[in-house]
Amino acid sequence: MSVRAGSFPGFLCAAGLLLCVSSRVASHSQFPTAIGQCPLDIPAAFQSHTQLGCPHLVDGSTARQPIDWSPWTHPPKCLQAEKLPATKYCVFTNSQHGNGGVSMIITPETAANSVEILNDSGYTHTKSLINSSAGPAYEVIDIPGKGKGVIATRRINRAEAIMVDWAALVVDLSFPTSVKRAQGYQLLHIAVDQLSDPDRVLLLARNNVFSADIVEDVLRTNAFSFTVAGETHMALYPKVARVNHACRPNAFIRFTPSSLAVSIVALKDIEPGEEITITYVPMGQTREERRAGLLKWGFNCNCSLCTASKAEVAASDYRREKIKQLRQEVMEAVEAWDGTKAVRLTHEILELMHAEDLAPLYASQYEIMARLYWKARDTKTGTKYAQMSIDTLVDLGYLENSPEALPALLKTFDD
């Protein structure tokens, strides 16, 4: 959609709403990289490596002593790309980061631009567990027909953090097709071997028939995708990898920008003995769309939604297709400056979402309603829906309750 600055149609895209961008709920989420404003040519001896600040580009040929490759704990090992000789892919490892270390197979440029990601300790995710007096919420067990899985060991309340994990491997998505296969496998094994506990990766499930190497198989079977420095990467979270998929999950993955930490948060109350599940594909898809998306993990979903009766599946698919259709009609109504129709259609979308139990998607629809009413100069109703959007995100555990949230959101309505 072509949008003019300050135009009525443009406001729907202002906050990255689902109408304007495609989102991947399992995330396959995206990590914006923190790129600091660093003065150039500071002598290495004066750089504060305790704060991981201002690194220079470094690769296997320029790293001669530990201070050169700090904050990485190992000297980078690199491969030249076959088709793009000017491109290098290197293993950058910090064996102390997170839970067992992280190895990243990325370009030196990406490493320099994203090094501040190591500054984040994951406290946003861990603090609720640190401050909780409740015991462990889950255990990993063998589940017939699924291999390993995660079940609740006690009652878990909605919006409660269940587990926290850190990426163990991060691999540039273009790396496997840019280098010779044997050399690529060698770099993958170096990346794993440099972790403080390689078995956290090597003992994960493997079921990708197209993989000829154990590490490649683990990645293809278990990794999620996210963006670092504008490029797509694969990220492997060993603990999260044990959580199985369901099309109507009872938990979700919460990502934090500029962090390698994630947490699993309950979408609803979970009873002891109940399996904890997340979705590997975007919420709101039809059964055939979900099955196509799950092929990369090598399995057909047998969750309650996918194995329901033909009539139930057909009704669910109809509602989900209708949501897509109405979203498009909302866009058309906004383009035509027909706010009344846009509001009516958005109400219909919300009703369908409630029928499909698509709770994580409610917040964006409430925000759309808020923006529509705000542009129609009904600020009272707009404020009400803006608060509903925030309350939904807080209730689901996406946000912390803060008095600053509503004014901050309303401020964007006039941008």
Side-chain angles (χ1 to χ4, degrees), residues 44 55 68 75 81 110 157 173 183 185-186 194 223 258 285 296 336 355 368 374 378 381 391 394:
D68 293 334
T110 299
N157 297 320
L173 196 62
Q183 292 179 328
Y185 289 158
Q186 183 179 15
Q194 291 181 167
S258 301
Q285 292 186 334
K296 68 179 66 176
I368 290 170
W374 193 269
D378 184 349
T381 306
D391 289 345
V394 171

Side-chain angles (χ1 to χ4, degrees), residues 10-27:
F11 77 86
L12 286 178
C13 296
L17 299 174
L18 291 176
L19 283 172
C20 306
V21 296
S22 59
S23 64
R24 187 176 177 87
V25 176
S27 272

Side-chain angles (χ1 to χ4, degrees), residues 153-186:
T153 55
R154 59 171 175 79
R155 191 175 193 276
I156 301 171
N157 297 320
R158 182 176 61 179
E160 180 180 348
I162 302 169
M163 72 165 64
V164 176
D165 200 9
W166 285 262
L169 287 180
V170 177
V171 181
D172 191 306
L173 196 62
S174 62
F175 166 73
T177 57
S178 300
V179 300
K180 292 181 179 179
R181 176 174 291 189
Q183 292 179 328
Y185 289 158
Q186 183 179 15

Side-chain angles (χ1 to χ4, degrees), residues 334-365:
V334 170
E335 290 276 10
W337 296 76
D338 190 343
T340 301
K341 182 178 181 180
V343 168
R344 176 176 58 79
L345 293 174
T346 305
H347 274 297
E348 291 184 40
I349 292 171
L350 279 167
E351 291 176 5
L352 291 167
M353 284 183 173
H354 282 286
E356 282 298 295
D357 196 21
L358 298 174
L361 305 186
Y362 298 167
S364 63
Q365 294 303 135

